[in-house]
Amino acid sequence: MSLDLGFLFGNKKLPLVGVDISSSGVKLVELSEAGRNEFRLERLASEPLPRGAVVDGNIENIEQVSEAVRRVWKKSGTRAKHVALGMPPASVITKKIVLPGGLNEDELEVQVESEASQYIPFALDEVSLDFDVIGPAPSAPEDVEVMLAATRKEKVEDRVAVAEAAGLKPIVMDIESYAARAVVDRLAERPAKGGQGQIVALFQIGAQMTHVSMLLDGQAVYEREQPFGGNQLTQEIVRAYGLSFEDAESKKKTGDLPDGYERELLHPFLENAALEVTRAIQFFFTSTPYTRVDHIYLAGGCAVLPGLVELVNERAQVPTSVFSPFEGMQLASGVREKQLRAEAPAFLVACGLAMRRFDQ
Ligand SMILES: Nc1ncnc2c1ncn2[C@@H]1O[C@H](COP(=O)(O)OP(=O)(O)OP(=O)(O)O)[C@@H](O)[C@H]1O
Ligand SMILES: [Mg+2]
């Protein structure tokens, strides 16, 4: 076992773009620094993936995915060859452990490896392991708390292979949910976003999956994935109007569908989505000590479906809004605001990955 490409917590200040690879497509974001903790959105682009190329976060077809990465990179106009990639949270095991303080990096690594073997259900030589010292342990200040992250080597290697085949160089490997959280954190520091002691529920409603995180002061106190997403609505459209999947996808976005679509297909889907949200919140209450959610954010491609925010707000009885990762950022002249409004919530993970460029 080594840290070959296991630098899940890498931090480099090179020009770098965030590339999010997920089931509906590949998304790219490039940010630049426009002051202290202020960013400018330089560019964003996305490319759809053929169905089946990425399933449940696993890359099933390296060639198709690397082709899409190559296209999105070209289309974006960026020149940065260094990329930050994300790993799906389900493929990464994370664990906080406590180790004696005062160890040097090598000693830490040895300790981490021996601790890790207790938590990881695979042979250690099949694993990419990384760790990050969080700080003094709350229980014993002479000890340190260390966050351990482990993933199957082949999962990391698939992503690296995709980027390299597209002519890019992956230098940061993050966990998708961490990337998303970094964006929420940045905005939570703004006074209008609540702040201390608030429980924020973040729902990323994608194509296949809905990722739920409950955040308390930037810490995830609960995380879960539910098999629910926009593909279900697309499939309904395919079935009802005899369209191809690709046509159904694009007409879903423009709303260019026959009368009756809203009542017969869209509204039932929105009700299901709202039910997923309220059920997830109930689960959260029954499986944790928490009894309250102060705000719901909707992100992922489905967040912009007309009427969803209002319905979730009504069903959950919790203030709800669409989460826009680029809020408060300056926009480069090439970024169209209209496009941004429709697409920004789907770029949450890509934005978080792009922010890794500025890690201290
Ligand atoms: N403007 C839009 N209007 C309606 N639906 C949209 C819009 N944009 C994207 N979607 C839907 O959002 C879904 C894709 O969302 P997203 O890009 O967050 O998913 P993903 O991360 O690729 O999927 P997953 O996380 O499930 O692997 C698709 O079902 C797509 O049809
Ligand atoms: Mg997603």
Side-chain angles (χ1 to χ4, degrees):
M1 181 179 53
S2 69
L3 293 177
D4 31 303
L5 236 180
F7 38 87
L8 290 151
F9 298 100
N11 41 33
K12 299 266 157 45
K13 258 197 161 176
L14 297 163
L16 161 130
V17 290
V19 174
D20 173 23
I21 298 169
S22 58
S23 68
S24 73
V26 180
K27 304 177 191 88
L28 180 150
V29 168
E30 181 173 6
L31 302 176
S32 65
E33 225 161 8
R36 203 180 151 272
N37 207 20
E38 296 290 332
F39 302 121
R40 181 166 61 218
L41 173 59
E42 294 293 342
R43 51 193 111 240
L44 78 172
S46 64
E47 270 290 307
L49 276 170
R51 270 194 311 157
V54 173
V55 177
D56 293 338
N58 296 320
I59 294 178
E60 302 288 346
N61 188 323
I62 291 189
E63 207 162 297
Q64 286 177 335
V65 180
S66 69
E67 241 342 280
V69 171
R70 190 193 296 276
R71 280 199 303 271
V72 82
W73 189 86
K74 200 141 187 250
K75 185 170 167 183
S76 75
T78 185
R79 297 169 72 181
K81 294 253 175 177
H82 291 118
V83 293
L85 300 173
M87 294 292 297
S91 68
V92 185
I93 297 170
T94 55
K95 178 94 194 153
K96 241 186 233 170
I97 59 174
V98 174
L99 293 175
L103 301 177
N104 67 31
E105 193 77 1
D106 288 345
E107 292 165 336
L108 263 177
E109 200 174 316
V110 172
Q111 287 280 331
V112 163
E113 289 188 10
S114 91
E115 289 275 323
S117 59
Q118 299 174 38
Y119 304 109
I120 296 165
F122 331 111
L124 279 188
D125 60 1
E126 292 171 21
V127 163
S128 282
L129 187 66
D130 198 9
F131 63 94
D132 197 26
V133 177
I134 303 168
S139 50
E142 66 280 11
D143 293 340
V144 288
E145 247 185 339
V146 175
M147 181 66 89
L148 194 111
T151 179
R152 293 288 286 267
K153 233 178 214 163
E154 60 185 46
K155 307 264 175 198
V156 174
E157 286 164 357
D158 282 352
R159 282 178 149 65
V160 170
V162 157
E164 287 179 346
L168 304 177
K169 190 168 161 42
I171 58 164
V172 175
M173 198 55 94
D174 201 353
I175 305 171
E176 288 170 7
S177 50
Y178 283 44
R181 209 180 304 155
V183 181
V184 176
D185 269 1
R186 187 187 75 87
L187 288 172
E189 284 166 15
R190 290 166 190 263
K193 296 280 170 185
Q196 291 280 306
Q198 301 271 314
I199 297 194
V200 167
L202 173 67
F203 286 85
Q204 292 177 70
I205 311 177
Q208 295 183 327
M209 284 290 173
T210 293
H211 188 88
V212 186
S213 345
M214 304 293 181
L215 308 170
L216 171 63
D217 297 333
Q219 296 282 328
V221 292
Y222 177 90
E223 272 193 279
R224 221 189 134 83
E225 253 177 347
Q226 303 180 178
F228 176 86
N231 276 355
Q232 291 167 24
L233 178 57
T234 309
Q235 292 291 7
E236 293 288 330
I237 296 171
V238 166
R239 217 168 295 147
Y241 308 118
L243 297 171
S244 70
F245 190 88
E246 290 68 29
D247 285 348
E249 271 291 304
S250 78
K251 287 182 192 283
K252 175 167 99 172
K253 290 174 191 168
T254 58
D256 174 25
L257 285 160
D259 287 349
Y261 159 69
E262 287 192 6
R263 199 181 60 251
E264 287 154 27
L265 303 184
L266 179 61
H267 283 156
F269 178 81
L270 297 182
E271 285 289 356
N272 283 339
L275 198 59
E276 289 286 328
V277 170
T278 52
R279 275 201 195 129
I281 292 173
Q282 284 308 322
F283 257 133
F284 170 57
F285 291 160
T286 55
S287 55
T288 69
Y290 300 98
T291 53
R292 199 188 81 233
V293 163
D294 297 295
H295 197 97
I296 296 172
Y297 282 124
L298 302 181
C302 294
V304 297
L305 280 169
L308 184 60
V309 165
E310 294 75 7
L311 193 66
V312 168
N313 186 2
E314 197 182 309
R315 294 287 183 265
Q317 291 291 305
V318 173
T320 303
S321 47
V322 172
F323 190 86
S324 182
F326 308 112
E327 197 180 309
M329 288 188 190
Q330 297 175 19
L331 304 182
S333 56
V335 178
R336 283 174 299 142
E337 257 178 274
K338 184 156 170 266
Q339 178 201 12
L340 210 55
R341 230 171 296 129
E343 297 182 7
F347 281 85
L348 175 56
V349 169
C351 176
L353 292 172
M355 277 167 52
R356 299 300 304 263
R357 175 178 181 182
F358 311 107
D359 284 356
Q360 298 312 307

